[in-house]
Amino acid sequence: VQLVESGGGSVQAGGSLRLSCAASGYTYSNGCMGWFRQAPGKEREGVATIDSNGRTSYVDSVKGRFTISQDNAKNTLYLQMNSLQPEDTAMYYCAVASGYSCRLASYRGTSAFGYWGQGTQVTVSS
């Protein structure tokens, strides 16, 4: 499984970005995909997940602002981020928990996600 993120950048508060994660070697029908982020000096945090049926979940801090989606035909995962705030500044990673439901993967945390991309930086200025 290979994951390649893109779409990060620098924006002002209130702006938007759309992150993409191109996946290869992964079958969407068998697992959970997610977006994580890690700010300097902080632990990696789960942002959103989506399963093969399109069910989504979000961390409270991004609900109503971020939307996770997937295009199975393009093997691509997306994260639409609106109303960005300085506290959203972080390196963003996509990840795959192959063979896990998103419910179980979220319970187990980052250890359930065996495949990770290299990350894309998001910087939000006030």
Side-chain angles (χ1 to χ4, degrees):
V1 177
Q2 185 175 14
L3 305 171
V4 180
E5 301 99 333
S6 61
S10 297
V11 296
Q12 291 190 328
S16 298
L17 285 172
R18 188 175 82 154
L19 305 184
S20 299
C21 173
S24 60
Y26 170 65
T27 302
Y28 276 74
S29 62
N30 184 29
C32 175
M33 295 194 75
W35 286 98
F36 293 75
R37 65 186 180 186
Q38 188 166 18
K42 295 188 177 181
E43 293 186 355
R44 190 166 295 188
E45 172 189 42
V47 175
T49 61
I50 186 168
D51 69 12
S52 58
N53 293 313
R55 288 184 292 248
T56 60
S57 67
Y58 300 89
V59 68
D60 286 346
S61 60
V62 308
K63 285 181 180 177
R65 300 188 298 123
F66 291 11
T67 302
I68 188 172
S69 62
Q70 60 191 14
D71 185 330
N72 292 350
K74 295 182 179 180
N75 287 347
T76 302
L77 179 72
Y78 300 100
L79 185 68
Q80 177 67 45
M81 304 185 296
N82 299 327
S83 302
L84 283 161
Q85 300 300 318
E87 53 265 35
D88 296 316
T89 295
M91 185 71 79
Y92 284 71
Y93 301 89
C94 68
V96 168
S98 181
Y100 282 86
S101 66
C102 282
R103 182 176 181 179
L104 181 58
S106 296
Y107 176 76
R108 294 198 60 177
T110 55
S111 65
F113 291 82
Y115 303 97
W116 295 82
Q118 82 289 351
T120 185
Q121 178 68 38
V122 172
T123 303
V124 185
S125 58
S126 59

